[in-house]
Amino acid sequence: MEERDFFDEKSEMRTHTMTCPHCGQPGEYQVSWIVRRKKAQLPRGADERDKARFAKAQSYMVRRDDPMGCKNIRCRKRFDVVGLQSVAFL
């Protein structure tokens, strides 16, 4: 059994405040996340190893967007998202 059998996967947009490293202007940016929530029950056909892995599994989310574009009209440069974790547990 694979890990994705233990989770329900959904895409979400969340708002984060970030500062452009080029112009220094803060702004609200929409960041795309893949949210994986643990299922309520273990899927059918699981053996003892799968039951142990399912018991340890936690819901988490993975950041999908890496580079962002500055919202300042005069700057508009792209920068990497370094202030946010790439994986966060729920």
Side-chain angles (χ1 to χ4, degrees), residues 23-88:
C23 65
Q25 183 174 350
E28 296 284 323
Y29 294 91
Q30 292 285 328
V31 180
S32 178
W33 293 85
I34 297 173
V35 180
R36 293 186 176 128
R37 297 195 190 277
K38 184 177 172 181
K39 290 185 178 180
Q41 293 181 29
L42 184 66
R44 289 189 209 157
D47 60 0
E48 292 302 317
R49 248 185 2 198
D50 294 332
K51 288 178 185 178
R53 285 179 43 211
F54 184 76
K56 292 180 184 178
Q58 285 184 316
S59 298
Y60 65 98
M61 57 188 198
V62 179
R63 188 179 71 224
R64 182 185 265 171
D65 293 335
D66 203 25
M68 301 296 288
C70 181
K71 289 190 174 184
N72 184 354
I73 295 173
R74 287 181 236 130
C75 179
R76 293 286 184 192
K77 292 184 180 174
R78 295 183 70 76
F79 61 93
D80 287 333
V81 179
V82 293
L84 294 174
Q85 295 178 336
S86 59
V87 177

